[in-house]
Structures are given as C-alpha cells and as structure tokens.
Amino acid sequence: MLMYLIKANVVLVVLFGFYQLISGGDTFFKWRRLSLLSIYVLSLLLPTINLASVIGDGSPVANILPEVTVQPMPEAFDWHQFMIWMYVAVALALLLRVCWQVVMVCRLALRSKRLMLHGTAVYVLAGDYSPFSFFRWIFVNPVDKTPLQLRQILTHEQTHVTQWHSVDALLSQLFVAAFWFNPIAWLMRVQVRSNLEYLADRSVLCEGMDKKAYQYHLLAVAYRTNVATITNNFNVLPLKKRIKMMNKQTSNPLARFKYLLFVPLAIALLAMNSTAMRANVQKKVVKTNKTTKKSGANDK
C-alpha cells in the first residue's frame, strides 16, 4: 500500500506539473477538463501496471522460488503502523465530510419547493444562498432578481448540469480525501472547479448576453453563502480570474494539440514504473536464492 501511494503521488506531481506548464493562459477549457480528468485516472492506474508482464519479455523472472520473509524484532513503538492509521483516519474523516455534504444537498432538495423558471425546473432556496447545481438539480432564490439575471443564472447552471460537471467536482473531493497529504491534490481541486466555471461562463456569453452586465451580476453575489463545497456554485471565487478569462482573446486553435503530449509522457511514466517493478522482482529473486543456498548449507 505504501509503495502504491508513493508511486501514485509521483505520477500526480509529474502530470500536474506538466499540465501547469502547458495550460497557462490558454482558453481550451474542454481540453483542460479532459487533461485534469486524465491525471486523476492515470495517477490511480499507472502504478498498478507492469508493462513487462503485459508484453512478455522472455525473462525467467516468473519462475522464482518462494520468497523467504524474515520477521524483524518488534520495536517499542511501531511508527510505520502509526502513520498508516493516521493516514486512514484523516482520509475517512474527509470522506465522511463529502458524504455528509451529499446528504445535506439531498435533504435540501426534498424540503425545497419546486417550480419552473424560463422553462427550467428549479428548487427554490429560502435563504440568502448563492445559486448552485448538483448533478441534475438546480437551486436558486428568484427573489430580487431581474429576468435577465435569472436567465444568466439558469444558463450558467444548465451548463453544469448538461455537461455533468458535478462528476468532476465530486471526483476532485474524493481524490483530496484519498491523497490529503499531497498539496497537489488540493491545488488540482481548485483548478478543476475554476475550469468548470470557465466553461459555464463561456456558455452564458455564447448565448449573446452582455459581458459587462454578467460580470457585474457575478460581483453582486460574490460573497453569498455556499451550501456545500461539492456543488457547482454560481459565485465560485476568485472572480478576478473568471472575469480575466471572459475578457481574454481566444487562443489559436492549433495550439490545443499541445495537450497530446500527455500521451508520450504517460507512456514514459509507465515504462519507468515497469522498470522499477522488474528491478524489485529481480532483487527479491537474488535475495531468495541467497537465503535458500545459505539454508541448504546449514542443513549439511
């Protein structure tokens, strides 16, 4: 388990570092989303794949003697076991927090009144909360909002719904729970949420709505309370970056192909992992052979 966590975190750091290097400043939000999701998947899967065992290299490594394990003398305090239990305890606490937020949103949906706004089914928020969505549910308080503002909110949240942005948001939360000790996991969660808002903001502007009016609307609701961190909130901060992205000129379409460089990088990481696994197996073989010979000599 420890070795898997180390490898997974190395893959996470390398891939996210590469993502930061190539994505800075561009407007390829869909490619960014695909890259971030790929980083999550590759971080979990690459450490488990041994390329040598898949393709077969004719090596006799598979025909090895049973491993002989020598149990060390018990220590006064097992720090290794303590660290494992601490990791599990924090991970479970963060996982329970995510589960509680899901329950809280479900309870809010059951208790809220449902109505149709501009042809969209929404749940009415009673308090001064920021509009948000969670999977197929949209929550909004229509009080004191103009028809234009409601259209902006609904277009924004419908983008989250139709593009299944809640999957990304929930996955980022679960990944933080599993890799809470790695700051990169927390930074990735911020990147995921910001990129989802860039996508939703673009949809609003593509509907022909006035950019300045929309930006002033965002500023007006900037500090309203969010119901839960797992939801896609209308007023996700920092707004400065969102406004900057809205005003940014669209990047050259040909530049999006830079994201394909993730493929050779993933292959290189896979090859490195397979080489490390093979070296570890060979080391165990040598150790086992030495132990067996020594045991045979003692029997004589």
Side-chain angles (χ1 to χ4, degrees), residues 166-271:
S166 290
V167 174
D168 305 51
L170 187 58
L171 179 60
S172 67
Q173 293 281 359
L174 294 175
F175 210 85
V176 164
F179 297 92
W180 57 267
F181 52 89
N182 190 339
I184 298 300
W186 298 84
L187 290 176
M188 275 197 66
R189 185 181 69 169
V190 174
Q191 288 284 348
V192 167
R193 293 183 64 90
S194 296
N195 191 63
L196 295 178
E197 296 310 313
Y198 298 156
L199 285 165
D201 291 338
R202 171 180 282 178
S203 294
V204 174
L205 300 182
C206 287
E207 288 291 320
M209 299 184 192
D210 183 72
K211 184 187 299 184
K212 292 295 182 182
Y214 178 59
Q215 292 172 357
Y216 281 124
H217 184 196
L218 288 175
L219 292 171
V221 298
Y223 296 101
R224 290 193 177 180
T225 306
N226 294 326
V227 172
T229 58
I230 61 169
T231 59
N232 296 298
N233 294 285
F234 184 71
N235 64 339
V236 168
L237 301 175
L239 290 180
K240 183 179 179 180
K241 288 186 177 180
R242 291 175 61 182
I243 293 174
K244 181 180 179 181
M245 280 298 180
M246 281 185 263
N247 295 329
K248 192 175 182 63
Q249 185 177 359
T250 304
S251 301
N252 187 338
L254 293 177
R256 72 185 65 184
F257 293 106
K258 63 187 175 181
Y259 287 92
L260 296 179
L261 294 174
F262 269 102
V263 176
L265 179 58
I267 294 175
L269 289 171
L270 178 59

Side-chain angles (χ1 to χ4, degrees), residues 63-259:
N63 299 320
I64 62 175
L65 296 173
E67 181 181 354
V68 177
T69 304
V70 179
Q71 296 292 338
M73 294 294 293
E75 300 179 1
F77 186 82
D78 192 343
W79 285 101
H80 181 264
Q81 193 68 22
F82 171 76
M83 295 298 291
I84 291 177
W85 280 111
M86 186 179 73
Y87 159 75
V88 172
V90 176
L92 285 176
L94 291 173
L95 181 60
L96 288 174
R97 180 173 178 268
V98 173
C99 293
W100 171 246
Q101 290 190 35
V102 172
V103 171
M104 188 168 57
V105 174
C106 292
R107 290 175 59 189
L108 182 61
L110 292 174
R111 295 176 179 178
S112 300
K113 179 182 177 181
R114 192 178 184 188
L115 55 79
M116 298 294 294
L117 288 177
H118 298 278
T120 302
V122 301
Y123 292 91
V124 179
L125 290 173
D128 189 24
Y129 294 105
S130 169
F132 71 93
S133 61
F134 185 67
F135 286 96
R136 314 304 294 179
W137 299 337
I138 295 177
F139 298 80
V140 62
N141 185 351
V143 177
D144 297 331
K145 291 181 176 61
T146 67
L148 176 60
Q149 290 176 334
L150 285 175
R151 278 188 57 210
Q152 292 172 348
I153 292 172
L154 294 177
T155 302
H156 182 101
E157 298 305 331
Q158 281 175 333
T159 302
H160 288 314
V161 169
T162 56
Q163 296 183 8
W164 292 92
H165 289 176
S166 290
V167 174
D168 305 51
L170 187 58
L171 179 60
S172 67
Q173 293 281 359
L174 294 175
F175 210 85
V176 164
F179 297 92
W180 57 267
F181 52 89
N182 190 339
I184 298 300
W186 298 84
L187 290 176
M188 275 197 66
R189 185 181 69 169
V190 174
Q191 288 284 348
V192 167
R193 293 183 64 90
S194 296
N195 191 63
L196 295 178
E197 296 310 313
Y198 298 156
L199 285 165
D201 291 338
R202 171 180 282 178
S203 294
V204 174
L205 300 182
C206 287
E207 288 291 320
M209 299 184 192
D210 183 72
K211 184 187 299 184
K212 292 295 182 182
Y214 178 59
Q215 292 172 357
Y216 281 124
H217 184 196
L218 288 175
L219 292 171
V221 298
Y223 296 101
R224 290 193 177 180
T225 306
N226 294 326
V227 172
T229 58
I230 61 169
T231 59
N232 296 298
N233 294 285
F234 184 71
N235 64 339
V236 168
L237 301 175
L239 290 180
K240 183 179 179 180
K241 288 186 177 180
R242 291 175 61 182
I243 293 174
K244 181 180 179 181
M245 280 298 180
M246 281 185 263
N247 295 329
K248 192 175 182 63
Q249 185 177 359
T250 304
S251 301
N252 187 338
L254 293 177
R256 72 185 65 184
F257 293 106
K258 63 187 175 181
Y259 287 92

